[in-house]
Amino acid sequence: MKAFVLTKYGGPEATELRELPRPRPAQGEVLVRVHAAGLNPVDFKTREGKLKIIYRYALPTVLGNDVAGVVEECGAGATRFAKGDRVFARMPKDSMGAFAEYAVLPEDLLARMPSSVDFVTAAAVPLAGLTALQALRDELNLRNGSRVFIPAGAGGVGTFAIQLAKWLGAEVTTTASPRGKALVERLGADVVIDYTSQRFEDHVHDMDGVFDLLGGETLKTSFRVVKRGGKVVSIAGMPEPETARKDLGRGPLLTMLFWFASRGLRAEARKHGVSYRYLFMHPSGTELAELAQLIEQKKLEPIIDRVFLFAEIGEAIAYLEAGHAKGKVVVRMREE
């Protein structure tokens, strides 16, 4: 099979298309014939070696985290799916493998695709959709009447986050450029701040929570716009001790490292009377099935910015890395 392989850590030169043996499903695993794969910032961050402290992949390894395709073969004990089922999933964090013509993964990470969408649309959902769901429902505990600030609402995670926050009953404030304003308003944003001409901290206050997608100065400033007792959840800042324990299941060494690295952010949060949490999402076939149901009910719309062919995957990653995508970038492996 053809696969997009990480050979070393570095820039684009660290990856290449290769011919590899087709994987075989082990106990409890399913082999998927991949039709489309979604791209995420974690793909180029992995290539650059920024996650080496957390995940130590044996190189060379196949990149890619979001997969949509058809069940080709089920391993022993894998009984939830049958050959020919249309499925999608967030690949296991410790193995990846979506950027290939075939991928193997545990059956409990898979869900049946919504019948109303194609493979490209389904491939856009898993990582970004699950991240938004877990951050907003499980960490920020949004409910009817909650007020949430989601900077960068027109991006891959942001487009899911706005819709899921509205589904949970929250009032949503976001930032967007003039080019992205119409999109985030269509998705349900109640207040849109033009970040090219306005400072959000001049207009946002008394939020119940913030879902930070940008990190840096945006994250530091976000502590000021949350009311006391509120919470800031980030996927772009610095991991903190709970990240190591809860999300990664690691011991005291990584917990202490994250405690030290995040001490400035946690101190800033305490100064404003709020809590800070960095989220590493977890793959879940059960939660992905919930998202599939919302898509079927027309309550959640995956937003696709651009689709590339598999032979163009290097260009696709470069396009995503440039940071201007509105919605998701997807690679099509084969025609439907």
Side-chain angles (χ1 to χ4, degrees):
M1 69 172 187
K2 191 173 293 183
F4 190 64
V5 175
L6 176 67
T7 62
K8 59 184 178 180
Y9 292 113
E13 75 285 349
T15 55
E16 62 182 44
L17 281 168
R18 282 187 180 181
E19 289 291 334
L20 295 178
R22 183 191 303 185
R24 296 294 306 275
Q27 178 81 24
E29 292 183 333
V30 173
L31 177 69
V32 175
R33 188 172 188 256
V34 182
H35 283 248
L39 274 61
N40 299 278
V42 70
D43 299 321
F44 57 79
K45 291 178 182 178
T46 298
R47 183 202 69 205
E48 293 167 344
K50 291 182 177 178
L51 301 179
K52 283 193 294 184
I53 193 172
I54 299 169
Y55 303 114
R56 294 194 172 273
Y57 300 108
L59 303 183
T61 191
V62 180
L63 284 168
N65 293 282
D66 281 341
V67 64
V70 175
V71 172
E72 182 75 13
E73 181 184 352
C74 296
T79 59
R80 299 182 185 181
F81 301 94
K83 184 174 180 177
D85 284 348
R86 290 163 30 109
V87 294
F88 66 148
R90 199 287 194 196
M91 296 294 292
K93 292 184 177 183
D94 57 357
S95 60
M96 303 183 292
F99 296 159
E101 292 178 314
Y102 291 88
V104 66
L105 67 162
E107 67 169 352
D108 61 354
L109 302 189
L110 286 162
R112 287 177 173 80
M113 280 174 45
S115 59
S116 57
V117 304
D118 58 16
F119 291 105
V120 165
T121 304
V125 176
L127 191 152
L130 288 172
T131 298
L133 180 67
Q134 292 166 15
L136 299 172
R137 184 178 66 182
D138 303 338
E139 296 294 336
L140 289 175
N141 299 308
L142 295 188
R143 53 182 58 87
N144 281 329
S146 296
R147 302 178 71 230
V148 64
F149 176 49
I150 305 171
V157 176
T159 52
F160 284 100
I162 290 172
Q163 297 177 81
L164 290 171
K166 295 303 295 182
W167 170 65
L168 291 166
E171 176 188 302
V172 176
T173 298
T174 191
T175 59
S177 67
R179 189 167 72 92
K181 184 173 187 290
L183 172 61
V184 297
E185 287 180 335
R186 180 170 69 80
L187 297 178
D190 299 285
V191 178
V192 182
I193 297 165
D194 179 359
Y195 68 79
T196 68
S197 62
Q198 299 172 297
R199 301 192 315 168
F200 72 83
E201 62 268 31
D202 293 336
H203 304 273
V204 182
H205 55 86
D206 293 328
M207 294 287 123
D208 295 295
V210 173
F211 182 27
D212 167 59
L213 310 178
L214 294 173
E217 288 303 314
T218 297
L219 172 56
K220 292 178 183 178
T221 307
S222 291
F223 296 123
R224 304 183 209 164
V225 306
V226 182
K227 63 186 181 183
R228 299 189 74 83
K231 189 175 186 179
V232 175
V233 174
S234 177
I235 59 169
M238 184 61 66
E240 36 70 41
E242 192 174 355
T243 309
R245 295 189 297 262
K246 182 176 178 180
D247 298 345
L248 301 173
R250 300 296 180 83
L253 184 60
L254 192 63
T255 300
M256 182 59 67
L257 179 62
F258 285 172
W259 180 92
F260 183 79
S262 65
R263 68 194 188 283
L265 285 172
R266 289 183 290 109
E268 186 70 16
R270 285 194 302 271
K271 185 171 77 174
H272 293 279
V274 303
S275 59
Y276 170 66
R277 170 88 161 95
Y278 183 94
L279 175 69
F280 268 106
M281 60 78 64
H282 59 271
S284 169
T286 301
E287 292 183 350
L288 195 53
E290 292 184 64
L291 296 178
Q293 186 175 22
L294 291 176
I295 293 170
E296 293 282 42
Q297 295 170 350
K298 308 297 184 185
K299 295 177 180 177
L300 183 64
E301 175 191 359
I303 304 298
I304 309 295
D305 179 279
R306 189 169 170 187
V307 180
F308 291 80
L309 300 177
F310 191 22
E312 303 168 326
I313 189 168
E315 299 171 42
I317 293 175
Y319 177 75
L320 178 68
E321 202 166 353
H324 303 303
K326 305 300 182 190
K328 292 287 294 182
V329 179
V330 179
V331 168
R332 179 187 286 118
M333 306 297 192
R334 31 180 129 238
E335 295 299 325
E336 301 193 22

